[in-house]
Amino acid sequence: VKVYHSNSDTPDIIRAKDSESWQVNSYVEEISEEMRESINSEIDKQEEDGTFKIPSKYYNFQKTAVSFACQRDGVNLKEVKDANLYCYLPTKAMWGFDFLMNTDMIPTGPRDDIEMDININSEIAEIAGRKFFLWIKDLLKTRTYKINTIFKLIPNFDDCKEKNNKYKLLINQFQIGFED
């Protein structure tokens, strides 16, 4: 990423993904027709009653992406302590997971939390759980990392739900997707 200020020819800020220190994988899944219709209906309702929780860019939402990341040190994957959830930008939402997760969930207006009463977030949490399973499987298939460091990334779901009760429903949906 390069950031230019004042139409300068030279970037003021340059940031690159550090693939030596991070293991990052991204996954995409199609949104079901039923969910798409539900999202469209909610957006239509919002326009009528003036409450705008779901951005209009989600109208006819086709697919969602989820990414996972953890630190790496040679053949060891390292847990990310106090990892927060990203919805493109970081939120303050923490589910107790030891990895970073970036989803298309709908954040609150100030982008500091996740909308809890929107069906799409529950659906995306379940999709993220299924993709998390694939991430663990893909990490194992690389035969690059110590197996115990891969399995340490799998959350203790009961503990996460107990310690992060506000997000219990979404963590449960993530667990359902993972176990599926």
Side-chain angles (χ1 to χ4, degrees), residues 2-175:
K2 296 178 183 178
V3 178
Y4 298 84
H5 293 286
S6 305
N7 295 323
S8 169
D9 290 336
T10 308
D12 295 301
I13 302 170
I14 300 174
R15 295 283 183 257
K17 183 172 84 172
D18 182 2
S19 59
E20 292 297 315
S21 300
W22 288 90
Q23 174 61 48
V24 181
N25 291 78
S26 297
Y27 301 88
V28 175
E29 183 165 316
E30 298 286 325
I31 296 295
S32 70
E33 183 63 32
E34 180 182 282
M35 179 53 63
R36 188 171 19 267
E37 288 173 9
S38 173
I39 294 167
N40 290 349
S41 174
E42 280 298 315
I43 292 172
D44 290 340
K45 242 191 280 182
Q46 288 178 168
E47 291 176 4
E48 291 171 13
D49 64 18
T51 60
F52 296 98
K53 288 186 175 183
I54 303 176
S56 58
K57 71 179 182 180
Y58 282 83
Y59 204 84
N60 287 327
F61 194 47
Q62 298 292 317
K63 49 184 130 180
T64 187
V66 61
S67 300
F68 303 99
C70 66
Q71 293 182 300
R72 62 187 236 182
D73 181 13
V75 297
N76 294 305
L77 295 178
K78 297 165 47 179
E79 299 139 287
V80 178
K81 294 298 177 197
D82 301 321
N84 54 333
L85 180 70
Y86 285 69
C87 298
Y88 181 67
L89 296 171
T91 68
K92 293 178 183 172
M94 293 183 172
W95 291 6
F97 295 171
D98 290 333
F99 52 87
L100 297 175
M101 181 169 68
N102 188 2
T103 72
D104 288 325
M105 285 187 196
I106 312 275
T108 57
R111 301 196 59 87
D112 60 351
D113 207 349
I114 304 166
E115 288 290 352
M116 297 300 295
D117 58 349
I118 297 178
N119 287 340
I120 184 174
N121 283 350
S122 182
E123 178 83 11
I124 290 174
E126 188 172 334
I127 290 168
R130 287 196 300 271
K131 299 308 179 187
F132 177 70
F133 176 85
L134 289 179
W135 185 44
I136 296 297
K137 182 178 163 186
D138 288 346
L139 292 172
L140 290 166
K141 285 171 42 178
T142 68
R143 298 179 181 247
T144 302
Y145 305 107
K146 287 186 178 178
I147 291 174
N148 65 326
T149 66
I150 296 171
F151 286 122
K152 277 179 129 180
L153 295 171
I154 299 173
N156 176 330
F157 292 110
D158 291 335
D159 192 43
C160 291
K161 287 184 263 190
E162 183 179 315
K163 290 180 179 172
N164 304 282
N165 193 49
K166 177 180 180 180
Y167 305 107
K168 186 176 184 174
L169 172 69
L170 295 177
I171 294 168
N172 192 62
Q173 289 304 114
F174 184 94
Q175 180 180 4

